[in-house]
Amino acid sequence: MNTLSWHAAREAVHQAGIAAILPPRRQKPSETDGMTLAAPLTALIDLPAFPTSSVDGYAVRGAGPWTLTGRVLAGELPPPLAAGCAVEVATGAMVPDGLTAIIRLEDAKIENDVVAGTPRPKPEWREIGEESKVGEEMLPAGSPVTPAVIGLAAASGYDMLDVRSRPRTAVLVFGDELTTEGVPGAGRIRDSLGPLLPSMLRHAGATAVPGFSPRGPIEDTLESHVAAVQAALDDADIVCTTGGTMRGPVDHLHATLKELGAEYVVNTVAVRPGFPMLVAALPGERFVVGLPGNPQSAVIALASLVVPLIAGLTGRPLRALPQVVLGADIAGRGPDTHLALARLADDGTVMPVGHRGSAMLRGLAQADGFAVIEAGTDAVAGQTVKFLPLPGMQP
Ligand SMILES: Nc1nc2c(c(=O)[nH]1)N[C@H]1C(S)=C(S)[C@@H](COP(=O)(O)OP(=O)(O)OC[C@H]3O[C@@H](n4cnc5c(N)ncnc54)[C@H](O)[C@@H]3O)O[C@H]1N2
Ligand code: MOO
């Protein structure tokens, strides 16, 4: 067992993901939400493709007043404009050749087809190629496809995009003590990770394998664990298991991994909570991520390791974590990195939340992410620290 530092573990998992990068495919832009660009998004044409009015008004040429000769609507091709003449233009319409100014509707006076008015100092139309020039790289390969990227691709004339899909994930819940209905009691704990994880994985950029979102509780025997992981590996790039990461009497995860010929990428991380988290690589460029059973620790493992794994598999860089200013002191956890549940306060600082125990979800439900208190340090109010956002909360 080789415990890695939290930062080193994230790097190692990202690298393992890159080594198993998913193949590219072609998709309609509207079907690529949450996927990743497999090639740079380059401009197919100059944008705008023609000089475009940015206001409703009158395109004029030379000194005024001007004789109104017609109108151009968006989508029409205007004839050139003669000196002393004006044409009415709509926002988005192509402006005529020869114009020297556009007078806004509200700044213009029209009498007997004669336009008078003073143009504003800045031109009121967009020049060809102002947004991008043909062949220019607008976004690099590895960019996440957001709704804005889908819109940009469509505006630029793309009918198909080269992308990498969301990795396919399966969730396996281990633990005979778990129940999936009713209130907990008499030694029985309600499974919270089965309902929580598929949703969080979706926010993290993955998609769910049908029948495995979640599957479980899986019986606490080695045979059942091996069978469940094998079945999940048929269709999943990443299998997330919950619980059993320690080596307690009914913790079968390590034995299961051994039986399946897995190799550890990460096996325990110097972070609290979440220490026993692990990532193992299996034949066929598949991964098993062992999320600890304590619910908050499982979420920490997802944010700490599954997010970099998804980034690697889809060719995204491992982005630097954002920096935030602490609104209160937060003690460190000795030689381990401390991930302290926190929320972004109205004054722009980050404040720890209450009920932060690793077996609890109450604090998590009020948090935006985790303040990263580096190993071997304590942090004080006013100090700048890194922030690990919860998947779904974009820094
Ligand atoms: N002797 C030691 N014992 C433990 C240590 C240690 O260092 N030495 N570390 C503790 C830490 S830290 C964690 S985290 C847990 C992780 O253990 P496992 O991954 O093996 O998890 P389990 O033992 O199966 O479960 C722990 C806890 O979480 C509850 N649980 C499990 N699954 C779910 C679920 N789907 N929904 C809700 N709650 C769940 C389970 O009932 C247990 O209470 O080990 C400590 N022990
Ligand atoms: O690390 Mo455990 O994950 O402290 O609860």
Side-chain angles (χ1 to χ4, degrees):
M1 189 171 95
N2 172 24
T3 302
L4 292 181
S5 76
W6 185 69
H7 293 287
R10 287 166 59 76
E11 272 295 335
V13 170
H14 183 246
Q15 285 303 321
I18 288 177
I21 193 165
L22 299 177
R25 54 192 271 194
R26 298 213 130 173
Q27 290 277 132
K28 282 187 181 165
S30 57
E31 293 166 0
T32 58
D33 185 32
M35 297 184 181
T36 307
L37 293 182
L41 190 74
T42 50
L44 300 175
I45 39 148
D46 289 338
L47 259 191
F50 50 84
T52 312
S53 178
S54 40
V55 294
D56 294 325
Y58 298 90
V60 299
R61 177 166 185 172
W66 303 272
T67 308
L68 187 59
T69 58
R71 142 196 281 195
V72 199
L73 299 180
E76 293 179 352
L77 267 180
L81 195 59
C85 291
V87 285
E88 191 178 356
V89 289
T91 302
M94 181 168 174
V95 297
D97 254 2
L99 89 162
T100 52
I102 297 178
I103 320 269
R104 286 187 183 213
L105 214 57
E106 58 272 33
D107 298 341
K109 253 188 157 175
I110 321 290
E111 253 172 58
N112 299 327
D113 281 347
V114 173
V115 178
T118 310
R120 299 198 181 180
K122 279 195 183 154
E124 301 268 33
W125 68 93
R126 299 186 283 266
E127 296 290 1
I128 292 178
E130 204 176 286
E131 184 171 349
S132 50
K133 298 264 189 288
V134 61
E136 189 182 338
E137 181 176 308
M138 297 187 289
L139 291 169
S143 299
V145 181
T146 61
V149 172
I150 293 172
L152 175 64
S156 312
Y158 277 86
D159 295 322
M160 300 297 275
L161 279 179
D162 291 326
V163 289
R164 295 184 210 282
S165 296
R166 291 165 170 261
R168 298 160 304 166
T169 49
V171 172
L172 295 178
V173 174
F174 295 157
D176 280 347
E177 77 282 18
L178 299 172
T179 162
T180 53
E181 275 178 16
V183 291
R188 307 275 285 174
I189 288 174
R190 180 73 188 265
D191 167 30
S192 55
L193 290 173
L196 177 161
L197 290 172
S199 159
M200 195 166 270
L201 286 166
R202 168 114 200 132
H203 283 296
T207 187
V209 173
F212 286 91
S213 64
R215 178 167 292 187
I218 309 291
E219 198 195 339
D220 271 338
T221 64
L222 180 58
E223 301 72 51
S224 301
H225 278 48
V226 171
V229 175
Q230 252 169 343
L233 285 168
D234 280 347
D235 288 319
D237 302 302
I238 304 172
V239 177
C240 291
T241 63
T242 66
T245 58
M246 293 298 296
R247 292 173 192 270
V250 289
D251 291 342
H252 300 297
L253 180 59
H254 291 272
T256 300
L257 292 173
K258 191 170 175 200
E259 187 136 338
L260 293 174
E263 280 186 26
Y264 291 107
V265 178
V266 166
N267 182 11
T268 68
V269 178
V271 65
R272 298 286 166 174
F275 170 82
M277 64 178 77
L278 66 87
V279 176
L282 282 104
E285 308 197 308
R286 307 287 162 102
F287 294 89
V288 172
V289 180
L291 307 173
N294 277 329
Q296 196 202 129
S297 306
V299 169
I300 285 181
L302 193 160
S304 297
L305 300 184
V306 180
V307 169
L309 182 57
I310 290 172
L313 286 171
T314 54
R316 298 183 187 188
L318 186 57
R319 284 184 68 177
L321 294 174
Q323 309 261 348
V324 294
V325 175
L326 288 183
D329 297 353
I330 302 182
R333 296 284 296 266
D336 299 328
T337 299
H338 178 198
L339 295 181
L341 267 181
R343 68 184 165 77
L344 303 174
D346 292 343
D347 66 0
T349 64
V350 155
M351 292 295 288
V353 298
H355 307 98
R356 304 208 294 270
S358 64
M360 300 181 189
L361 286 169
R362 188 170 163 184
L364 188 78
Q366 309 165 47
D368 297 304
F370 302 87
V372 180
I373 314 302
E374 301 291 351
T377 69
D378 293 311
V380 293
Q383 188 176 330
T384 299
V385 298
K386 294 192 167 82
F387 188 73
L388 178 72
L390 278 168
M393 187 259 158
Q394 284 306 314

